[in-house]
Amino acid sequence: MPRTKADARTILSNVDIPTLEALERKILWLSSWMIHNANHVRESRDGLKVGGHQSSCASAATLLTALYLHSLRPEDRVAVKPHAAPVFHAIQYLLGRQDLAKLQDFRALGGAQSYPSRTKDTDDVDFSTGSVGLGVGATLFGAMVRDYVHHHGLAEGRPNGRLVALMGDAELDEGNVFEALLEGWKHDVRNLWWVIDYNRQSLDGVVHDYLFQRIKDFFGTVGWNVVELKYGKLQEAAFQRPGGDALRKWIDECPNQLYSALTFQGGDAWRNHLAADIGDVAGIKALLDDHDDAALHRLMTNLGGHDMSATLEAFADVGDDDTPQCFVAYTIKGFNTPLAGHKDNHSGLMNIEQMTSFKESHAIRDGHEWDVAEGLDLSEDTLKAFLADVPFAQRPARETSPKIPVAALPAPAGARMSTQEAFGQILNDLGRGDSELASRIVTTTPDVTVTTNMAGWVNQRGLFHHEDTADVFREEQVPSAFKWSAGPKGQHIELGIAENNLFLLLAALGLSDKLFGARLLPVGALYDPFIARGLDSLNYACYQDARFMAVATPSGITLAPEGGAHQSINSPLIGLSQPGLTSFEPAYADELAHIMGWGFEHMQADNGGSIYLRLSTLAIDQPKRDFATIADDVLAGAYWLREPAPGAELAIAYTGVIAPEAIAAHEALFEDIPGAGLLAVTSADRLYRDWQAATRAHVNGPGVAPSHIERLLGRLAPDAGLVTVLDGHPATLAWLGGVARHDIAALGVANFGQSGDLPDLYRTHGIDADAILDGAAAVITRRMRRRGALRPTAA
Ligand SMILES: Cc1ncc(C[n+]2csc(CCOP(=O)(O)OP(=O)(O)O)c2C)c(N)n1
Ligand SMILES: [Mg+2]
């Protein structure tokens, strides 16, 4: 039952508000000084502005103090708006959870990060933030994952925490926030708070008037409770005076721009405007006379989000109600600093003189800037006792949950099949078994479960939802191969079409062991071309070191009739270049099964990461072979499908579904070049990283073992030619020419595709067997020319 306002007030009557207010000032001071120190005190070696956002911090100081020093519980998980990182770090410092050296090195190597970072910061950031909007969305998916973990009985004995985002108002301009909201509504998301730091300013300017009304409407539409935290206690008291209604009306109707400008100008400007606009209303003159400029300014800037009592009350009012709550907390950007309200204050910093008087106003002595009790009317002991009692301070150190054993995954049998079909079968087999591994797998897709071959798994494991939901088609006996019933024990989370949501959910699922103490092994499938649609969220997920397997299928122009808009071209380069993500593009089912097994382990390894599998719907003939002999090489990124003769003058290297074309070309030229090799590249990414690591090690000293690709290509003649080919951008493999300085013809797709059949499209884009032979002819001809066996043709 939600508490009533009266309950909340009773609860708050025991809260030491003056101490919290003093600490709020302290936190404002520390965050401002942290930024000032980085910009004006610490030695600069490069002359670059270090930066930091004193105004964004000041805006959120009350809200974050109220949350961390009173309202949050240790089990709550929080995303803090990126530009309030110094406030977060300052609070953790006060709570004894952050080192002073980190604050002094804010934005320096090894110091506290510019924007909260799960992996780089040491003060237990729950969600990294930085790309605005994503941290907000992440908390919503975090709430879904928390409930998943609890419904599956994976977090026995742990209290169910709340997911909280302290967000900037301009974050509402990011579409991903709304995509998440709608998905949250579908999944009946609960126990989630979004606290909007409603300072009505973004980076460039002042946000639209009446945005609040729109916020209320669309949050209400998706089932949220919207709490307006508009007036502080001083304002509430003034509204009770004669003329109070007129004052409230004036505040409500004042355009955002004007309110900001007057905030910047201060008491005199407020007085002039109020006198001119409502000076003739009974009571207003007395109200103005009763307030000197400083008091009038204090009154007019006493907004809800800067009033500790009002803020705590709003939070306490929620009680145990688990309806998602959106707090629209009115604030002032730069509150209580000389930057307050100015529209250009986003990146503005206090100058030396401003900092000197700011410091005086906080009663901070030179040399004591970082002292915890400095400037407070509290003894250090009283302060320490207060902070030690703060509920959030009881949060235990981060833990990780035990690893889930992974047995080898059998390769699906079949003379001819696609990697996508093989993926479906591997999951289906897991779904039919009762392994612990299968019990920890959670699958999800953005509305492409059936078309990515995951339906077999879903038939076994069911859809996840808070409530049991029947499969109506089945009940009505409408024949369908797919069971579509949902319940709290289901293991597939079906999303609407929004790849951003997919990657945010994968991020939350992939952090489940660290956030909620229960290890999950998330597998998300999507169409390869639409990775680009969720790229920022994918990067965000990897940045936080979330662990998941992204299965991208189908891919490339091999989708043939589907045409240009569905054909992925540069996704292999994403796989090659994305940190935290290891990509593979296998051609055969046995390779895929082995890679997936390794992938589930890599997702759990301390120095592991996430996996990206680029798959295809094109069925190709499967080899019959002793897989054990190549198993390690498949993981290392390449193996000889046809061994080259020692000193061979040519090799073809292919990736993925283009294998039959490469094999055909290899067979065709084998008569002329009998020693030619055929290299299967299962992971350009693994090969490249290994090669780069070896190269760096070479630089550092002799005696370094060659990388896997150096060993493989070392079998060829030093002046051999290479032809590389894949259904994707040729640059993915073109670097192979640099490994042993082999001449190279790099084939692949570099232009938009169109509908067609495979022979036409492969020919058009130059990746069919004939194109591979042409490439071979080119490198062989150049080789002969270099050797002087051929005269250059006249131009
Ligand atoms: C995706 C993304 N685009 C642009 C930026 C640059 N940027 C940083 S803050 C900001 C405006 C933030 O305004 P708001 O969320 O209202 O924060 P506050 O006013 O509290 O500082 C912008 C555009 C960013 N960090 N992320
Ligand atoms: Mg703002």
Side-chain angles (χ1 to χ4, degrees), residues 56 81 83 130-132 168-171 174 197 199 201-203 333 346:
S56 300
K81 72 170 186 177
H83 303 79
S131 178
V132 300
D169 45 8
E171 297 200 69
E174 288 287 0
D197 180 351
N199 57 29
Q201 277 186 256
S202 58
L203 191 159
K333 196 153 170 167
H346 183 76

Side-chain angles (χ1 to χ4, degrees), residues 81 454 464 704 733:
K81 72 170 186 177
M454 283 168 92
F464 171 72
V704 179
L733 294 177

Side-chain angles (χ1 to χ4, degrees), residues 5 17 24 39 41 101 129 151 250 270 309 314 395 423 488 516 553 569 578-579 599 618 637 647 776 778:
K5 285 217 181 280
I17 303 257
E24 174 201 327
N39 284 276
V41 180
T129 54
H151 282 309
W250 187 91
W270 289 115
S309 303
R395 183 194 265 222
F423 162 69
F516 307 116
T553 180
I569 295 171
Q578 175 63 51
L618 180 68

Side-chain angles (χ1 to χ4, degrees), residues 507-638:
L509 288 166
L511 289 171
S512 176
D513 65 322
K514 289 157 190 147
L515 291 175
F516 307 116
R519 193 180 287 279
L520 298 175
L521 296 167
V523 178
L526 77 165
Y527 292 177
D528 194 54
F530 304 130
I531 276 203
R533 196 72 195 257
L535 203 50
D536 196 16
S537 300
L538 167 63
N539 180 60
Y540 174 71
C542 293
Y543 179 64
Q544 312 206 67
D545 199 24
R547 304 295 180 83
F548 54 88
M549 186 178 285
V551 180
T553 180
S555 60
I557 60 166
T558 304
L559 273 174
E562 284 286 298
H566 275 59
Q567 293 166 345
S568 57
I569 295 171
N570 56 10
S571 53
L573 295 174
I574 295 169
L576 185 68
S577 57
Q578 175 63 51
L581 189 70
T582 301
S583 66
F584 292 89
E585 185 167 352
Y588 298 115
D590 53 2
E591 296 169 3
L592 176 66
H594 191 54
I595 291 166
M596 283 179 69
W598 177 84
F600 286 127
E601 273 173 357
H602 186 66
M603 286 157 64
Q604 306 186 61
D606 294 341
N607 289 321
S610 288
I611 308 289
Y612 163 28
L613 305 177
R614 189 172 190 254
L615 305 185
S616 174
T617 38
L618 180 68
I620 61 174
D621 290 341
Q622 300 291 306
K624 287 199 185 66
R625 55 185 173 183
D626 177 8
F627 187 77
T629 59
I630 55 163
D632 289 346
D633 284 3
V634 164
L635 295 179

Side-chain angles (χ1 to χ4, degrees), residues 148-227:
Y148 181 98
V149 163
H150 278 264
H151 282 309
H152 284 80
L154 298 174
E156 301 292 7
R158 281 169 186 273
N160 229 350
R162 182 173 278 146
L163 272 290
V164 180
L166 181 287
M167 59 191 280
D169 45 8
E171 297 200 69
L172 288 169
D173 287 329
E174 288 287 0
N176 87 273
V177 170
F178 299 88
E179 293 176 2
L181 272 178
L182 195 58
E183 201 60 58
W185 171 76
K186 291 185 210 163
H187 287 272
D188 192 12
V189 75
R190 297 161 191 197
N191 215 3
L192 169 67
W193 285 10
W194 285 0
V195 182
I196 302 176
D197 180 351
Y198 192 53
N199 57 29
R200 291 147 290 148
Q201 277 186 256
S202 58
L203 191 159
D204 283 335
V206 178
V207 309
H208 203 282
D209 289 324
Y210 307 115
L211 176 64
F212 165 69
Q213 195 49 48
R214 300 281 76 81
I215 294 174
K216 209 168 170 171
D217 292 347
F218 46 63
F219 275 82
T221 302
V222 288
W224 287 55
N225 187 36
V226 180
V227 180

